Amino acid sequence: ELGAKSLHSRSGTGSPEGVVTAPVGTEYTDTATTNGAVKWVKASGAGNAGWKVVYGDTGWRNISSLLDSNWVVDTIAPSARIRRINATVYVELRIKRSPGSTSTGRSGISPIFDIPAGFSKTSYVPLGSAAYSSTSIGGIGSLASSGKIEVFGFPVGGFWAAGDPVAASCSWIVSNDPW
């Protein structure tokens, strides 16, 4: 019924977590879409805790400032970005080794960037695709204990040299990282 629904529907600005007291099942709309989160539901607990985002989209965020010092955005179709839609995180990269960079990483693995808060993973992130000069070289992903996204594999020639480009993408599910 419409009257009953209005008792379980709230709106305001910002996250309801720790702020809005409601019974389980209550819906909340953030009219300011703070951090990209729009619709929340009270999923568990009593009081003002237990809110979960059911619809949110951060939009693409530029993460070029988070790149490891051995990487810069490529000058041709540059891209270093991350996006969270609900519980899924997407990464797209078009990067290259920095001038003067000589580090190859460990065992064919080269760190690219630290995963920012709100986008973190809870376990191993499967490999996404990675290409070097249109040749598949392996992929990108993150080991279970790592908070970094890393490129796996080497380009032709056996090492990462300054100017070596990489086009890569991957995605993962976030289970408990708050908005």
Side-chain angles (χ1 to χ4, degrees), residues 4-178:
K5 182 172 174 59
S6 66
L7 293 176
H8 294 290
S9 181
R10 311 274 170 83
S11 66
T13 58
S15 167
E17 183 65 24
V19 178
V20 177
T21 300
V24 170
T26 301
E27 293 180 349
Y28 174 87
T29 302
D30 178 358
T31 59
T33 63
T34 308
N35 295 327
V38 177
K39 186 67 101 177
W40 300 71
V41 67
K42 178 68 183 270
S44 64
N48 60 12
W51 291 95
K52 299 290 181 193
V53 173
V54 292
Y55 178 75
D57 183 347
T58 64
W60 285 107
R61 306 262 175 108
N62 183 329
I63 57 169
S64 58
S65 65
L66 300 179
L67 293 177
D68 182 272
S69 63
N70 288 314
W71 295 98
V72 295
V73 291
D74 196 5
T75 52
I76 300 171
S79 180
R81 60 190 194 160
I82 194 168
R83 181 179 197 169
R84 180 174 175 178
I85 300 175
N86 301 328
T88 305
V89 173
Y90 303 91
V91 173
E92 290 183 359
L93 301 167
R94 178 121 178 134
I95 57 178
K96 63 183 179 180
R97 294 299 283 184
S98 302
S101 173
T102 57
S103 172
T104 60
R106 64 188 194 287
S107 303
I109 299 171
S110 183
I112 301 173
F113 69 91
D114 289 321
I115 301 169
F119 297 86
S120 65
K121 62 189 181 52
T122 57
S123 61
Y124 169 77
V125 174
L127 295 178
S129 60
Y132 165 76
S133 299
S134 301
T135 302
S136 178
I137 52 124
I140 66 169
S142 184
L143 302 176
S145 61
S146 172
K148 292 183 178 291
I149 292 297
E150 302 167 312
V151 65
F152 297 80
F154 287 120
V156 177
F159 60 92
W160 291 108
D164 282 349
V166 173
S169 64
C170 68
S171 63
W172 62 87
I173 302 297
V174 175
S175 61
N176 293 320
D177 206 358

